[in-house]
Amino acid sequence: MTSTSAFVKPGDFNGIPAWRIDTPNVRAAISVHGGQLLGWQPAGFDEVLWCSSTTRRPPQAIRGGVPVCWPYFGRDGQSAEAPQHGHARISTWQFVDAVEEDDAVVLDLALPPDPRTPLRLRQRLRIGAVLEQTLITTHAGTAGIAFTQALHSYFAVGDARQVSVSGVDGLRYADKFDGNEHVQAGDWHLDEPRDPGRSDRIYEDASARFVLTDPVGRRRITLETRGSRSLVIWNPGEAGAAAIADLPARGWREFLCVETANAGADVVRLAPGAEHRLGQRLSVSPL
């Protein structure tokens, strides 16, 4: 848990060991367990990411921030014993390097090789008033391979029931709740008439720019994606939250997951020696 930058220091985030970043422009924290961005707060704004106050602790998965789902999203054909969303989010990550720029800190982390996969993973975060986060997957094996992944971002909101997400109008989506495909009409809202009060959707052939509007929090969060043709929007709703042990009773109203992904039909196929980059760019503006 070492670092070479004056702005990147070992510490903790709510008792979880983390690399801490504190500059005039931004405060942030990345957990050693899971390589998970837990906090990102640009100057002049409240915390952008949400973390559960009742989250399980390492070595279990941390609920909140930006979990790294890799090398598969959900179960994706894995056995019942396989960790949900892959092993990256429950593994100890390694610090590689940090470089200070005029308005940001660029941090490189690596997931140690694992015998379960020939894929190798690095993560680059450019942390400033704007956040850029990239998963860099390389194939070290000798035969072609397919994988899925996601940056499972939990955005802190004033009230999820009043939030909207633009950029999805007209997109087809797979709905986990009924197993069918539908077409989005207008912006996303939690209380859509067809299936009110919950959301677990994978949008297909998704564009590269989405805007989360939070009227209670009085801000907009803009998400720009790279290397992705799918977008996941998830909130369990009141009934679903009651079945999640590490989610406070009213916690579902405090976040919305809008996830940059290669999921569903958006499967990445790599030849030996090839590389794929999945990235997101986040910015915040007042409403």
Side-chain angles (χ1 to χ4, degrees), residues 80-184:
E81 294 76 27
Q84 174 80 354
H85 290 314
H87 66 273
R89 69 181 187 141
I90 53 172
S91 297
T92 299
W93 284 61
Q94 298 173 339
F95 178 91
V96 177
D97 195 16
V99 177
E100 299 162 20
E101 297 184 349
D102 290 340
D103 60 348
V105 175
V106 179
L107 180 67
D108 283 301
L109 305 175
L111 181 68
D114 189 287
R116 288 172 285 190
T117 177
L119 297 173
R120 303 292 180 260
L121 181 62
R122 289 169 67 107
Q123 181 179 184
R124 174 165 292 175
L125 299 110
R126 188 181 189 278
I127 300 172
V130 172
L131 173 74
E132 296 180 24
Q133 185 176 15
T134 305
L135 298 182
I136 306 166
T137 300
T138 55
H139 184 8
T142 58
I145 194 169
F147 71 100
T148 54
Q149 60 182 336
L151 291 165
H152 195 315
S153 304
Y154 285 74
F155 293 112
V157 299
D159 188 340
R161 299 171 301 176
Q162 299 188 45
V163 166
S164 65
V165 178
S166 64
V168 294
D169 181 33
L171 295 182
R172 296 191 66 83
Y173 64 87
D175 192 326
K176 183 176 178 180
F177 289 113
D178 66 11
N180 296 322
E181 284 202 344
H182 305 272
V183 177
Q184 179 73 37

Side-chain angles (χ1 to χ4, degrees), residues 6 13-14 22 24 30 55 60 62 78 81 89 96 127 145 169-170 200 207 210 223-224 253 285:
F13 184 89
N14 295 336
D22 192 351
I30 305 97
T55 184
Q60 299 183 80
I62 302 166
Q78 306 297 312
E81 294 76 27
R89 69 181 187 141
V96 177
I127 300 172
I145 194 169
D169 181 33
D200 195 350
S207 63
F210 310 91
L223 166 64
E224 298 170 84
R253 293 174 57 176
S285 57

